[in-house]
Amino acid sequence: MATGELTKRVDESELGYGEALTATGRVSAAKMYEPAAPSGPFNTRQLARLDEALTFASRETGLDFSLYLGELGPDSRVTAEKLHATTADPANAVLIAVSPGERLIEIVTGTAAYVRLPDRGAKLAVASMVASFKEGDLVRGLVNGLVNALRMLSDQAGPAPR
């Protein structure tokens, strides 16, 4: 027997739905792909909207915007700063950390990002998010508030230096 030769012949009557026997004797199978649904408070459309806002803000400013949604713990600022430090380029990064359960928002800017995005701009963005949360629908408030905040932060930082 030659190397690579099939040792078992497949009977076509044993093939399942979506399977076919090729001329070389290999079984080819077509399977349905079921995309995984988002697991969290956001639906696919909301996640896409957040991703689009993050991408736009990052491209427009040249800063690396990212978002964390979850518990921050008793020292929220320290936790947010640790999360910020894990970004690809911390000096050029802006992290928006939101903890709905703790009713906290932290914005952390890196050393280079801070020059273009001082505390005043971050405070305006936080105020915008808080106003959105007060509308009652937490998820919609998060999406709308974050999108508006990203727009504000992007405007404040200005275009990427050339």
Side-chain angles (χ1 to χ4, degrees):
M1 178 183 318
T3 305
E5 193 175 315
L6 291 175
T7 57
K8 179 182 174 200
R9 297 291 293 160
V10 176
D11 184 358
E12 288 190 55
S13 66
E14 296 175 9
L15 296 176
Y17 181 75
E19 294 180 332
L21 188 59
T22 66
T24 62
R26 186 180 62 81
V27 175
S28 176
K31 307 235 183 223
M32 289 297 292
Y33 170 72
E34 297 291 333
S39 61
F42 303 110
N43 62 34
T44 304
R45 185 173 181 205
Q46 292 166 329
L47 287 171
R49 193 164 165 224
L50 285 171
D51 182 62
E52 183 179 293
L54 285 164
T55 301
F56 176 79
S58 295
R59 282 186 187 152
E60 190 73 14
T61 64
L63 299 174
D64 180 20
F65 282 88
S66 57
L67 169 65
Y68 170 82
L69 180 63
E71 298 300 311
L72 292 168
D75 197 343
S76 60
R77 186 65 187 183
V78 169
T79 302
E81 287 172 352
K82 285 179 183 175
L83 290 166
H84 178 267
T86 66
T87 60
D89 181 11
N92 206 37
V94 178
L95 171 71
I96 302 170
V98 180
S99 177
E102 297 168 307
R103 302 178 72 121
L104 292 169
I105 301 170
E106 295 281 357
I107 297 180
V108 183
T109 54
T111 53
Y114 181 79
V115 172
R116 297 180 47 214
L117 190 58
D119 289 342
R120 182 177 172 273
K123 287 177 183 175
L124 289 171
V126 168
S128 168
M129 283 187 276
V130 169
S132 291
F133 300 156
K134 287 183 179 178
E135 293 175 11
D137 181 353
L138 177 64
V139 172
R140 186 175 298 144
L142 279 170
V143 172
N144 293 339
L146 288 167
V147 168
N148 288 336
L150 284 164
R151 216 175 273 132
M152 290 175 71
L153 293 169
S154 177
D155 289 345
Q156 177 78 23
R162 303 211 187 263

